[in-house]
Amino acid sequence: MKLLRAVTLLILLVLALPCPAHTDLQLQIDKLTHDLSSDPANTDLLMKRGDLHRRHQDWGLAHDDFARVRQIDPGHPYIDWFAGRLEVEAGEPQKGIALLDEFLKHKPQHVIALQNRAQGYLLLSQPLPAANDYRAVIQHSKTPGPELYRACASAYLAAGETYYEQAMDIVRQGLMRIPGEISLTGLGTDISLARADLDTAQTLIDSLPGPVMGLSQWKVRGALLDCLSGQNESAAKGFIGVINDTSQARKTATLISPEWLQKLATKPTPENCLAAQQYALTMDGL
């Protein structure tokens, strides 16, 4: 769970890393500051500037603008959302969730606020409430993308083996909406292997276009399937092939650690392969 919190915080920080676009943000902030000099009680301008400060990672300045909005208009319909999202991204998920709770009481189908709250729950190492929020986002989105299904399934995976079936149910829903989507097919295969559901894993692998199986992560999945099926010689050959692939793509997409790859290449027993896959799945879910 500590890793879950760390990875989620890293994602939030990466999304807000300084980049050339921040120059544009600063120009917009300067323009709003100029406008506010002649209209200091304009809450629309304050909300816009505060949100730009948030995107610029100027947490204190954003907080000041939102506090000013609340002072001028305590019942502003969006202030709890804006302030709550800020607290989550600034590393104060408990405060952020409390504010988002208030906002979602009045707008329970607001998909962005639900995602913001889910991020807060993940930072607090509470994957099940996060999964519930992602489920709601999927339900209320007109065209939910694969990333939402992955986020929801990953939250269930982070909750432990007891929730593998719920994670797989989300993946199935995603594949029904987006047939053949590669990332969901991969996640569904991983869950199936971790559950030793070899028929489902084989069906998912068989649904892929041929060239995909040439990718390192899919070679590992194929070797794991052979291993769990008792085809030790074929599995060992598959793991050795991945180890001997020195390409950059192999280094960044093997699914399981080099230590596990070495172990499975020499001892490709079903017990070892199941343990390796369950460990890898937990890390991916985190």
Side-chain angles (χ1 to χ4, degrees), residues 14 52 61-64 101 107 150 161 169 201 212 214 229 248 266-267 274 283:
V14 167
L52 289 172
L61 294 175
H63 185 274
D64 290 345
D101 283 346
K107 296 184 181 294
R150 280 191 64 85
E161 188 177 352
D169 179 59
V212 173
S229 301
Q248 186 62 32
T266 56
K267 295 182 179 179
L274 187 62
M283 298 304 288

Side-chain angles (χ1 to χ4, degrees), residues 46-47 49-55 57-71 79 82-88 90 92 95 99:
L46 286 166
M47 291 284 280
R49 189 176 68 174
D51 200 50
L52 289 172
H53 283 313
R54 173 191 65 83
R55 292 168 57 190
Q57 285 188 276
D58 291 327
W59 313 129
L61 294 175
H63 185 274
D64 290 345
D65 277 349
F66 295 152
R68 177 65 176 148
V69 170
R70 199 180 293 279
Q71 182 182 41
I79 188 59
F82 276 56
R85 176 170 55 183
L86 169 64
E87 296 292 357
V88 169
E92 295 287 348
K95 294 178 181 178
L99 290 164

Side-chain angles (χ1 to χ4, degrees), residues 34-52:
H34 177 269
D35 293 343
L36 280 163
S37 65
S38 59
D39 191 5
N42 188 316
T43 56
D44 289 341
L45 296 179
L46 286 166
M47 291 284 280
K48 290 178 182 178
R49 189 176 68 174
D51 200 50
L52 289 172

Side-chain angles (χ1 to χ4, degrees), residues 197-220:
D197 181 357
L198 307 187
D199 289 341
T200 299
Q202 186 68 67
T203 298
L204 289 168
I205 288 174
D206 289 345
S207 72
L208 294 167
V212 173
M213 288 305 296
L215 299 174
S216 292
Q217 61 266 45
W218 285 99
K219 289 180 181 179
V220 171

